[in-house]
Amino acid sequence: MRETWRWFGPLDAISLAEIAQTGSQGIVSALHEIPYGEVWPQDTIAQRRALIEDEGFTWDVVESLPIHERIKKGEDDLSTLFANYRQSMANLAAEGVKTICYNFMPVLDWTRTDLAAPVANGGTCLRFSAPKMAAFEIHMLGREAAREEYDAAAVAAAGAWFQASDAAARDTLLASIMSGLPGAFDRYDIPALKEMLATYDGIGRDELRANYKRFLQEVIPTAQELGMKFCVHPDDPPRDILGLPRIVSDADDIGWIMNAYDAPENGLTLCSGSLGANPKNNVPKIAQTYGDRIHFAHLRNVRKEPDGSFEEAEHLTGDTDMVALIDELLEAQARTGIVIPFRPDHGHDLLGDKDVEKQPGYPLIGRLRGLAELRGVIAALS
Ligand code: DNO
């Protein structure tokens, strides 16, 4: 397996020189500054690539080449957006960057309610509290239907949290929920989020799947011509939120996607943290079933709670058997002969991490600790 590290580009608080000290060989990056739906120019890609290669790395994976909301909503005339997407693919391929990670989550990317929940030995982690998310949906957005969508204990706790909260606590919750949106994407306030959600009225699971299939039909043939690999990132959390359907959450969903365009270029980003937060998922089993279509792996762990909450655990603790999972990924590699790039996904904020202004979930020391542990497992199993 090839060690990679996510670098958000020149604005990342963590420099490539620092990343070099982690021992990673590859970089995962994206042109976050370009608004969704626009073409990524080849010269801008070339500049990013030069920065990466000048420090001795290779640019292994694009994460993400984002999909415009209009595509997810399946609007009538999407020809310009699809053409732009294919042009960005061609420009990336011309620069030798051929693996594309993307997601198909409507409106929000990964969602957490707490960005700095304390962990036992002093660091902090990212946390999804079902009561707080329910409080946000029911009491801050006024989405009464959410009462039926959360565990009864979580709904009761949501009311109590909301009653006890002040404006600052509610603002912090909104900011935490919005912080999964990377780069150039606008953050929403409550009215703007309501407006955005309303544009999804009438789009259920079947409609979203149809729109996703249409996207695959538009881009996978181009990926085949260009020798590129696509790998969808699972939903995080892997459940419906905000009344929006989510269709990349479990093994059945993955099976549907792989069949929707049955070609090796239509693959999966095996994100153990996202998939591991759904109690239905056996992550090593998913890796075993779809191993030949896994083009990229995000390795981290979560600890689930009965009310639907979860928090990010250390890489080797938590609910997913990381050793069994890595064993499956190594098996897949042995079968296909193709090396799978992976990155230590989020880490805890440890030691000096708290003093650095960085992307939530992406501290230097916490991820370095995760990488070192994963590296040990890989070495032992190899
Ligand atoms: C979170 C990440 C996601 C991921 C996108 C891929 O830290 O794993 O934001 O990059 O969902 O499109």
Side-chain angles (χ1 to χ4, degrees):
M1 295 177 68
R2 185 168 171 82
E3 294 179 6
T4 67
W5 189 275
R6 189 176 197 177
W7 182 57
F8 290 92
L11 297 178
D12 196 322
I14 298 164
S15 68
L16 287 168
E18 286 173 302
I19 297 170
Q21 294 188 36
T22 70
S24 310
Q25 303 119 18
I27 290 292
V28 173
S29 198
L31 303 182
H32 296 285
E33 62 279 17
I34 299 183
Y36 288 21
E38 289 182 15
V39 174
W40 288 15
Q42 190 178 335
D43 57 346
T44 317
I45 298 168
Q47 282 160 18
R48 177 65 59 89
R49 175 182 164 194
L51 291 176
I52 291 170
E53 292 185 353
D54 285 351
E55 289 284 344
F57 295 104
T58 49
W59 183 357
D60 291 29
V61 180
V62 172
E63 180 179 350
S64 303
L65 182 56
I67 300 176
H68 199 276
E69 290 301 315
R70 291 183 48 214
I71 296 181
K72 296 180 200 162
K73 286 189 269 192
E75 290 183 9
D76 287 343
D77 183 10
L78 295 173
S79 48
T80 307
L81 282 176
F82 286 136
N84 287 358
Y85 202 95
R86 285 190 291 260
Q87 188 60 53
S88 298
M89 290 168 67
N91 293 347
L92 283 160
E95 291 300 318
V97 190
K98 295 196 166 181
T99 301
I100 296 181
C101 167
Y102 67 99
N103 72 72
F104 215 81
M105 289 180 251
V107 185
L108 294 186
D109 196 315
W110 61 271
T111 305
R112 297 288 181 274
T113 57
D114 297 270
L115 302 180
V119 295
N121 51 8
T124 64
C125 71
L126 301 181
R127 179 175 165 80
F128 179 86
S129 152
K132 278 183 157 182
M133 192 69 199
F136 180 75
E137 296 207 33
I138 300 165
H139 301 287
M140 290 172 64
L141 276 180
R143 225 177 60 75
E144 283 299 315
R147 289 183 189 278
E148 307 305 317
E149 296 160 14
Y150 285 85
D151 169 278
V155 172
W161 182 87
F162 186 72
Q163 286 304 320
S165 66
D166 57 11
R170 294 172 198 168
D171 287 349
T172 304
L173 179 58
L174 173 68
S176 304
I177 291 171
M178 289 301 138
S179 59
L181 291 171
F185 209 90
D186 297 331
R187 267 66 183 160
Y188 302 103
D189 57 14
I190 298 278
L193 182 58
K194 280 187 177 166
E195 219 172 280
M196 185 65 194
L197 294 175
T199 67
Y200 271 87
D201 278 354
I203 301 179
R205 200 177 157 76
D206 293 345
E207 290 75 18
L208 192 62
R209 275 189 166 180
N211 301 342
Y212 186 13
K213 187 166 181 170
R214 178 177 172 199
F215 169 75
L216 292 173
Q217 285 164 339
E218 292 280 345
V219 301
I220 299 296
T222 307
Q224 291 174 316
E225 280 161 31
L226 296 169
M228 301 183 94
K229 293 180 199 166
F230 260 65
C231 38
V232 66
H233 185 283
D235 304 326
D236 186 355
R239 54 162 293 165
D240 294 357
I241 53 167
L242 304 171
L244 299 166
R246 290 234 162 147
I247 57 170
V248 196
S249 292
D250 59 28
D252 292 344
D253 288 344
I254 295 168
W256 181 87
I257 295 160
M258 298 298 114
N259 284 325
Y261 203 113
D262 193 10
E265 292 79 3
N266 176 29
L268 174 67
T269 298
L270 192 289
C271 177
S272 54
S274 304
L275 292 170
N278 184 332
K280 272 168 62 183
N281 289 335
N282 174 337
V283 187
K285 183 87 201 320
I286 291 176
Q288 184 186 52
T289 310
Y290 298 105
D292 300 0
R293 304 274 284 267
I294 296 172
H295 302 318
F296 183 33
H298 286 179
L299 299 181
R300 67 179 167 84
N301 225 320
V302 292
R303 192 169 297 111
K304 299 185 280 298
E305 296 162 31
D307 70 356
S309 305
F310 61 88
E311 68 183 25
E312 299 195 1
E314 291 155 341
H315 286 69
L316 302 190
T317 63
D319 297 341
T320 294
D321 182 341
M322 190 59 77
V323 178
L325 170 60
I326 290 176
D327 204 27
E328 292 298 348
L329 295 173
L330 291 171
E331 286 280 330
Q333 278 195 162
R335 270 197 314 274
T336 62
I338 300 170
V339 172
I340 301 174
F342 78 97
R343 61 178 183 81
D345 204 6
H346 309 166
H348 289 176
D349 274 22
L350 303 176
L351 305 164
D353 284 333
K354 62 179 180 317
D355 306 323
V356 181
E357 183 87 19
K358 62 198 175 297
Q359 297 288 320
Y362 290 88
L364 176 60
I365 300 170
R367 277 187 292 165
L368 175 56
R369 174 182 173 177
L371 175 62
E373 294 178 351
L374 298 166
R375 181 183 289 155
V377 173
I378 294 167
L381 289 174
S382 312

